[in-house]
Amino acid sequence: MTRSGERIGVGLVGHAFMGAVHSQAWRTVGHFFDVPLVPDLAVLCGRDAARTRASADKYGWREVETDWRALVAREDIGIVDVCTPGDSHADIAIAALEAGKHVLCEKPLANSVEEAERMVAAAERAAARGVKAMVAFNYRRVPALALARKLVADGEIGEVRHVRAVYLQDWLSDAESPMTWRLRKETAGSGALGDLGAHIVDAAQFVTGGLVTGVSALTETFVGERPDERGGRDRVTVDDAALFLARFDNGAVGTFEATRYALGRKNAMRIEVNGSKGSLAFDFESMNELSVFTDAGPDSGFRRVLVTEPGHPYLEGWWPPGHLLGYEHTFTHEVADLLSAIGTGVDPHPSFADGLRVQRVLDAVQTSAGSGSAWTSI
Amino acid sequence: MTRSGERIGVGLVGHAFMGAVHSQAWRTVGHFFDVPLVPDLAVLCGRDAARTRASADKYGWREVETDWRALVAREDIGIVDVCTPGDSHADIAIAALEAGKHVLCEKPLANSVEEAERMVAAAERAAARGVKAMVAFNYRRVPALALARKLVADGEIGEVRHVRAVYLQDWLSDAESPMTWRLRKETAGSGALGDLGAHIVDAAQFVTGGLVTGVSALTETFVGERPDERGGRDRVTVDDAALFLARFDNGAVGTFEATRYALGRKNAMRIEVNGSKGSLAFDFESMNELSVFTDAGPDSGFRRVLVTEPGHPYLEGWWPPGHLLGYEHTFTHEVADLLSAIGTGVDPHPSFADGLRVQRVLDAVQTSAGSGSAWTSI
Amino acid sequence: MTRSGERIGVGLVGHAFMGAVHSQAWRTVGHFFDVPLVPDLAVLCGRDAARTRASADKYGWREVETDWRALVAREDIGIVDVCTPGDSHADIAIAALEAGKHVLCEKPLANSVEEAERMVAAAERAAARGVKAMVAFNYRRVPALALARKLVADGEIGEVRHVRAVYLQDWLSDAESPMTWRLRKETAGSGALGDLGAHIVDAAQFVTGGLVTGVSALTETFVGERPDERGGRDRVTVDDAALFLARFDNGAVGTFEATRYALGRKNAMRIEVNGSKGSLAFDFESMNELSVFTDAGPDSGFRRVLVTEPGHPYLEGWWPPGHLLGYEHTFTHEVADLLSAIGTGVDPHPSFADGLRVQRVLDAVQTSAGSGSAWTSI
Amino acid sequence: MTRSGERIGVGLVGHAFMGAVHSQAWRTVGHFFDVPLVPDLAVLCGRDAARTRASADKYGWREVETDWRALVAREDIGIVDVCTPGDSHADIAIAALEAGKHVLCEKPLANSVEEAERMVAAAERAAARGVKAMVAFNYRRVPALALARKLVADGEIGEVRHVRAVYLQDWLSDAESPMTWRLRKETAGSGALGDLGAHIVDAAQFVTGGLVTGVSALTETFVGERPDERGGRDRVTVDDAALFLARFDNGAVGTFEATRYALGRKNAMRIEVNGSKGSLAFDFESMNELSVFTDAGPDSGFRRVLVTEPGHPYLEGWWPPGHLLGYEHTFTHEVADLLSAIGTGVDPHPSFADGLRVQRVLDAVQTSAGSGSAWTSI
């Protein structure tokens, strides 16, 4: 890994699922994309020293830290990658930015609008000093969704009228599946809403180029208590499902739904957009495909575009047509874009401000759901 | 057509699209189903004598009437089939029931709750005298949806948690497509809501066995004026799209959307239901199929059931497996069920009361949409 | 059914599955297509008087005959429709043609090339006297396949290079399913080959406009004996599956497969054609759809054309877009085309000569399969 | 990358497409699989020193060699990975095995049966000394196909009756796309047959557990000349498409087709297997899915199994359900299996003998195609 570029030290906080995926991305990016800075997998940070060391060995990190403050203070670190639960995002990201580190922060940006606002302020101060901040809505880097955005921006489907977005999983369908940090308000902030809903709100805004201006929502918790680690039962304090209607600043209307109770749907992050000249449809369970309807003639129809051609977004680095990419590649694309932004001085997207915008929508969803689905403006 | 049964005279009011489909159903039913009464295509009724006569010749009706009151008064008529726009449903159906005629009435039952209530009252009085009334939600007779209801009723998917229903068409996408009676509040009552939304509300209640108890809604009119017949432009006074969230009396939550602006979707009446043990999904554009997920093992998945097997609902009368049925067959099944109900004395479904229940939901949708999406109970 | 046209008496021989479908077609055609002659369902012919009378009542035929010779001799009959097993096709069709009756004959045209040749000769003699003959390859009247032929003929996919055709059913998968006339060489001529293979050979030639010039084949009988009606076991004397490679006169190459042992495939009559500029794919289990690939740009893909638009073949008579047709409609289209041909004096297709061409291919398949798959020219 | 295991030096010969994919696999395997030996990306070997050095930098190899003989002689190399065109496989692999290096050799094993036989003999001699040899049919490591094999082996679909395998690409459809080594007999041995056909023959044998015993074949070259590098035109000396019928030692029959002229099909490596109790279907363009039909009840159907669950083959190392894998992962699985085999002393599959078996089938295809499709036993 000795391409022309300078090396930049990366410190990763968190080593669960997201930590593993981000590690693979940092390790892989330089072999497939012509990035101006080559990431050095310098430090993995976690609270438990032994477990963190084991993860560092497994995921290929050289050193470990057990206090993120120590990580942020290190001179050899240029990028801090925040993969912890949402309740610590603000503290870590703000400290890192203030220490002059570029920051990649997992989504949702924060557990509250107030935290997110402080993060945006920190990002703006940092930007003035050339320090970059990016929130990790990885679905923006699915080639099919990047293509979708391009087609909308190019006017291929005309004026956007309808958005239909769902994110369906089923891992909580069993009422006896155990309690996790994701089901506690203190750690997760919300349930399906922040975990899954955040993704489809960002994707809808990204693909259509419009912003959600108001919502009417309801949330539901189907299973109120679950087995805890100590053989008892613990109260679920977040939503199991969140459903909302939305209006966009471009005149479009939309329906959104996030749930972990859609049996048989494993990772069905789906979005359909209907415009005045065409339509687009996507399902992450077939993530290499985009359904496109752009020609209203008699022999027209949705065409299944396999988004694996040379000219498609992010495809220049990979394999021949029809040789599919997977989930992890979205993260490789994400860090490639961040490294490019750092190297060239442009601002990466999605910015913390983009993350805050999503956070405000999630907040409005909770407000509306708490007040009889009353329309709530953002 | 001389099966054992007695003959019963049918009078059909209206000879546009619905009249043509109903004619084919009446003409065909006796050849495929062992009905206790054989329909006699006696009278077609329309306002324009010449055009009605031409339609009668084309669709196989013996005589014509130009006043539905005359039709209702005829002694040789046993069944009145109402295929007019919604604004005349109440008058015709109530008069027919009072004259002792069995009534099949197209959906939506009426253009207002008040009319629908009067129709239900008339149907109840008629029922006491053995006269039957049925509202023509034909999608209940799609074999795949009848099978879906059976699977839910048999407990195959457990407790219902999620309903996701859309009815997507695209014939109004072009802003220059002309004005029709379907876009005027006086004749149609509402737009996509009554035309398409009525179907998915009924289907959701039919399949799940639950009733919608409240909604939060928004409606939108994308194109406010359209070319009229006289070369001018006319105001569209109904909704182009209706979106709503719902709660059911069984604890389920749902999203609904009806639109005629989903480019590329021709007749995508879709419903997905997720339960605690399984899931079902249906799309009318593949109407012979039901997607079923009922076994949560590691090698499980949605299975595509081709609903054309001998034991499937309504299939006993038709072809071998894999030899598909079409749209018109749902009407043949509908009149078969009505004739059976008349012959055996049971009450057919969907009853006028079922139609009223749908009407109340549509009414609540309009109320909510008119009051900032505020939650509106039914 | 009193459209402007003259009436023509139809006599149908055979009242099993095909008899039922043809009856529905004759009964329905005049209500949806502007045919120059209106069919009169005059006589149903079968060997057993009582059973034939019952079928006539069920399917709507006025009179019955028990000897096809008597039917052919009747003055009130203008069209003889032959729906018997293949071993009687030649006798009935030739006699009818000689008696000056137009003939619609079920496929395969005959059980042997020799019979088919005699039928073609009779059809040619009859044609000279204005009498029409047509073989009932109903799949030509699936709108999607008629559209496919049009697209190929219009040059939309360029020069045809590949044909890939299968006809998969599964009703013989169970080794204990009983013996039928379809499994005896004397009555059926062949097994899957004549029953299913005939359809895909005709469809391939129809869609591509090319003729099969040679084949290499193998056939297989998986289950040699089956339970018979008398509680014993009877030998299966036909093929269970037939597989063959083919070359076409236009330079294309093809693979063909017909089987009744493809578990889970109910009526998967599928054909894919790849040309130098595009491709087409069809599956009868989704018979209202045609997959079309015609634009080799980067965002291209197979598009799912719902063949239910006004301009699509045969659609002028039916419902709005997205309101699907079924299996039976292909027969309605078939008799509409035959009635038009009779009325206007043009020659209908597929002709008996087309049927003979298919027969010669089936014959070559058997020859090749019997001689070590050696290449066998047609 | 300092897991418990010992390190083993890897030398890779070839740095085109396959070299890039194998590099990613060697680099990644230790981070996701608990392999007993950790690969050290020691040496990349190519003829052009500068280009090889550039590739080594890009793909992460420490040193380079320009002569494979030098590579094979190095003491620090434990595994030689052969990613060159087929004409050099035998020389390199045999030399490496004789030098005591474990060998991973790309497919097809060789360009002729004679070469393949010598390779098998070398592999057998090497095996006696504990040296392993494996041919890189990577599709065996698609989780869905590994699951398919398991389901067949477990008897889930009963006795295998039908195999239907195609490998469709379209990159040669344009008659003006340029000449490459893949279109010259000297380098490639054959065209679509060896490149694509080899994969589906191996996959069919792998999934069903049966061996092909005979074939009848035809091959075709649609475009005889193509633009060469020097502005002239060069003769294509290999097949553009290969089609064959086959019989298996377990009584099954099959159709096979390999082509690079199926416009719109990018990497459609498809296989369907029908057994006496069930069926399986796979398409590499949806590589995370397996269609499974195993229950012949009335509500049965092909179910879409998303092969991303914890218990599925190779999934223990990766992401949560529904988070898809891509093409490259099949190679990571491949080297994981090879490292396990080396570490535990078992023989890896597919062996060189498996590769020879495929080679014999390809050879029989060419013999049959050259002799009027005459049946040719293997």
Side-chain angles (χ1 to χ4, degrees), chain D residues 255-269:
Chain D
T255 59
F256 289 82
E257 181 180 3
T259 181
R260 293 143 165 177
Y261 285 74
L263 254 177
R265 304 301 179 191
K266 300 305 174 183
N267 204 37
M269 185 275 199

Side-chain angles (χ1 to χ4, degrees), chain A residues 310-330:
Chain A
H312 286 147
Y314 302 108
L315 264 291
E316 70 280 8
W318 301 108
W319 321 118
H323 293 70
L324 308 189
L325 298 185
Y327 169 70
E328 69 178 62
H329 297 80
T330 62

